[in-house]
Amino acid sequence: MKKIVVIGSGFSSLSASCYLAKAGYDVSVFEKNTTVGGRARQLHKDGFTFDIGPSWYWMPDIFEKFFNDFGKSTSDYYQLDKLDPAYKIFFEDDVITIGDCMDKICEEFERIEVGSSSHLRKFIGKAQENYDIAINKVVLRPGLSPLELVTKETVFRVDQFFKTISQEVRKRFKNPKLVSTLEFPVLFLGAKPSKTPSFYSFMNFADFGLGTWHPRGGMYEIIKAMKSLAEELGVTFHTNSPVEKIKVENGKVIGIESNGNEFISDFVISGADYHHSETLLPKQYRQYSESYWEKKTYAPSSLLFYVGFNKKLKNIEHHNLFFDTDFEKHAEEIYDRPQWPSEPLFYVNFPSVTDASMAPEGCETGFFLVPIAPGLEDTPQLRLQYFDIVIDRFDKHTKQSTRESILFRESFCVNDFVEQYNSYKGNAYGMANTLKQTAFLRPNLKSSKVKNLFFTGQLTVPGPGVPPSLISGKLVSDLILQKA
């Protein structure tokens, strides 16, 4: 039986492990941290439960397809609730509520801009077509050749790869709040809306068309489900096992070194940070130079706060976006002139609003996120300064006082992303999906210099986000199965 070593245990690694174990390989996963899940881990403190990484469950069809491939369903492992409202967006002078169906969302759009609902239905109709093409055709290709993007469907939509989301949205909607609402979902792809091809409007269908969901117990339930499935299929897990070296002999991978021990294998897949993974190789076997990584556009990093409140909070939903400052300016301070943002937009997640298991009775679990440029200086003083900014604005817009109700606060930022995930420049989401970093223009799933060495995850194809990571794991396993 051929042996496969998988480095890291995030979504893409777990996905690849399951597919390869199902195909009869002997799969071992090596994870540097104490628990599996990569960035999708949990913090438990004083009866509060925080997902410390991904917190949005979008594209439920992708998760369902994954489990279906093994004769299972998501409901075999966890229970999903559709959120209504999906989320709230707080502006300086108004709050937009995104409901759980198009009729409710159209009504809200009409309230803001008369006549906008008919434009919205057309826009989302086109986004749905793009979603079908993206999910069923384009993203299922391994990014080995430009020709993968050429299908009869994409040929008719080639202009959408050269126009941007911003152009597409602003052509139809005039109200700046509606523009921000429609540009927001592509931030999950890690780039400015003005730099993201309009084909990626499929994210708007993922948002408005498929809705926002919550797995009871938090996002970590998906990791637990995938680990459980992997173990059923025979995968072995080694936690507290950082990989120090990827071993190569005569241009072919022969295994890894972890905790000073050698593990021989026929194939190695790294789901760890791509840049870091290449540093585990002797120099002559690295595909990409330091200057290659330096020039790429990365998705943001994040300043995160995990806060336990001793009371139920008012005027909040499960997901809350605070767009009460200048969207464009904050985007510039992430991408164009990297610096700590002068007036940051931020996001707050209160899973305890819909899931009583996430906080003690009568309390609230709060996860605050400020997107920032990767590679910034990160100090305790800066973290504290930004917490003060965020909590003051949060209190102002939700019309309450929360400071004296804080039981504890933990933070996570650039230094932690580097230390815990070996993340390049402390990025939180990988490499942005700009036109020049789409499909075959992203770092390869397959090493061009070392035989039987593969990569998976958010720096390669299809890109950042949880559903794309599940797909990335499938793509890399397919490449290995084709060799067999």
Side-chain angles (χ1 to χ4, degrees):
M1 191 190 284
K2 290 204 165 169
K3 292 189 169 192
I4 295 190
V5 158
V6 179
I7 305 172
S9 64
F11 285 106
S12 56
S13 293
L14 291 174
S15 168
S17 302
C18 289
Y19 284 110
L20 291 163
K22 181 190 173 196
Y25 287 86
D26 175 356
V27 183
S28 300
V29 174
F30 290 78
E31 167 57 55
K32 79 184 274 287
N33 292 312
T34 52
T35 55
V36 303
R39 294 166 197 234
R41 295 182 297 147
Q42 274 188 334
L43 166 67
H44 298 276
K45 185 165 179 174
D46 302 344
F48 292 83
T49 300
F50 301 86
D51 281 311
I52 67 175
S55 60
W56 291 77
Y57 194 104
W58 273 6
M59 306 187 188
D61 51 324
I62 304 282
F63 295 92
E64 196 54 50
K65 270 182 198 161
F66 171 79
F67 286 104
N68 290 171
D69 283 346
F70 302 91
K72 306 277 188 183
S73 169
T74 51
S75 60
D76 294 330
Y77 296 98
Y78 53 87
Q79 187 171 342
L80 281 174
D81 296 311
K82 191 173 193 188
L83 301 183
D84 182 29
Y87 54 93
K88 262 185 179 177
I89 307 179
F90 291 82
F91 292 95
E92 186 53 49
D93 56 353
D94 199 3
V95 180
I96 289 185
T97 302
I98 300 300
D100 66 343
C101 65
M102 276 301 291
D103 288 348
K104 290 180 189 172
I105 299 167
C106 284
E107 208 175 297
E108 185 72 330
F109 267 57
E110 280 294 319
R111 178 180 75 79
I112 305 281
E113 185 179 304
V114 177
S116 62
S117 64
S118 63
H119 292 303
L120 180 64
R121 286 189 192 276
K122 278 187 206 134
F123 179 73
I124 296 297
K126 192 170 172 183
Q128 181 171 3
E129 288 171 16
N130 287 354
Y131 186 86
D132 292 339
I133 295 161
I135 298 308
N136 297 316
K137 300 257 172 55
V138 177
V139 301
L140 296 175
R141 298 175 180 207
L144 301 179
S145 147
L147 296 176
E148 290 173 7
L149 288 176
V150 182
T151 68
K152 63 179 192 295
E153 295 88 358
T154 55
V155 164
F156 285 118
R157 291 168 173 78
V158 73
D159 62 316
Q160 291 188 48
F161 286 93
F162 296 99
K163 285 184 191 149
T164 68
I165 285 278
S166 274
Q167 289 167 330
E168 201 64 22
V169 166
R170 287 157 195 253
K171 195 168 75 187
R172 292 183 167 83
F173 303 92
K174 298 290 168 269
N175 186 287
K177 289 174 215 154
L178 297 187
V179 168
S180 292
T181 301
L182 288 167
E183 288 184 346
F184 143 70
V186 302
L187 297 180
F188 283 105
L189 300 170
K192 283 170 76 172
S194 59
K195 289 272 167 44
T196 303
S198 71
F199 180 74
Y200 285 104
S201 70
F202 67 74
M203 291 296 290
N204 294 99
F205 175 70
D207 177 3
F208 290 0
L210 297 174
T212 303
W213 301 73
H214 170 71
R216 279 192 200 172
M219 293 291 281
Y220 197 68
E221 291 302 307
I222 316 161
I223 293 291
K224 280 157 61 176
M226 292 177 77
K227 180 176 187 253
S228 170
L229 172 62
E231 286 175 332
E232 284 171 51
L233 294 162
V235 176
T236 310
F237 287 90
H238 304 265
T239 50
N240 296 310
S241 298
V243 172
E244 289 105 30
K245 266 187 200 155
I246 298 173
K247 300 189 73 89
V248 181
E249 220 169 70
N250 302 323
K252 185 178 180 183
V253 83
I254 57 160
I256 59 148
E257 203 173 280
S258 174
N259 289 333
N261 298 312
E262 197 173 276
F263 296 86
I264 299 300
S265 67
D266 299 285
F267 295 89
V268 170
I269 301 173
S270 182
D273 178 274
Y274 205 129
H275 168 268
H276 168 72
S277 302
E278 287 226 311
T279 67
L280 305 177
L281 289 162
K283 270 219 164 87
Q284 71 268 33
Y285 293 123
R286 297 174 194 174
Q287 305 166 90
Y288 304 107
S289 64
E290 281 300 315
S291 68
Y292 169 89
W293 295 110
E294 191 60 45
K295 287 178 187 144
K296 292 294 167 193
T297 301
Y298 291 88
S301 186
S302 299
L303 168 56
L304 303 159
F305 297 103
Y306 311 109
V307 187
F309 294 93
N310 67 7
K311 65 178 183 185
K312 297 305 279 179
L313 303 186
K314 297 183 301 191
N315 305 323
I316 55 166
E317 296 299 340
H318 187 118
H319 295 291
N320 309 269
L321 297 159
F322 287 79
F323 284 10
D324 53 318
T325 57
D326 188 342
F327 188 103
E328 289 294 317
K329 187 177 179 192
H330 189 161
E332 269 174 34
E333 290 168 340
I334 293 173
Y335 296 104
D336 305 334
R337 294 174 289 109
Q339 59 188 285
W340 277 90
S342 40
E343 294 180 286
L345 283 72
F346 62 98
Y347 155 68
V348 196
N349 170 296
F350 293 105
S352 46
V353 166
T354 40
D355 185 347
S357 73
M358 305 291 283
E361 197 174 341
C363 296
E364 214 82 83
T365 289
F367 163 118
F368 292 71
L369 182 155
V370 180
I372 57 171
L376 295 183
E377 178 194 20
D378 168 17
T379 65
Q381 292 79 5
L382 278 163
R383 294 187 190 195
L384 187 59
Q385 180 189 333
Y386 276 82
F387 184 74
D388 286 341
I389 292 170
V390 162
I391 206 77
D392 286 346
R393 278 180 29 215
F394 173 79
D395 282 1
K396 175 187 156 193
H397 288 290
T398 59
K399 302 180 172 58
Q400 64 193 316
S401 176
T402 61
R403 274 181 186 273
E404 65 283 0
S405 305
I406 294 172
L407 294 171
F408 63 83
R409 179 187 74 224
E410 302 276 340
S411 64
F412 198 99
C413 196
V414 173
N415 294 348
D416 303 296
F417 280 104
V418 172
E419 188 263 319
Q420 297 194 28
Y421 310 129
N422 296 309
S423 164
Y424 184 71
K425 290 188 175 179
N427 79 78
Y429 310 102
M431 198 181 273
N433 260 338
T434 59
L435 179 59
K436 291 177 182 170
Q437 293 179 179
T438 289
F440 65 95
L441 296 170
R442 296 178 72 78
N444 287 328
L445 287 167
K446 183 181 176 189
S447 170
S448 58
K449 294 198 172 180
V450 181
K451 209 173 164 201
N452 293 356
L453 173 61
F454 295 84
F455 301 87
T456 187
Q458 52 192 12
L459 283 169
T460 180
V461 290
V466 177
S469 292
L470 293 185
I471 293 166
S472 186
K474 183 177 192 318
L475 292 175
V476 79
S477 64
D478 287 344
L479 288 179
I480 290 173
L481 296 176
Q482 283 161 23
K483 287 175 71 77

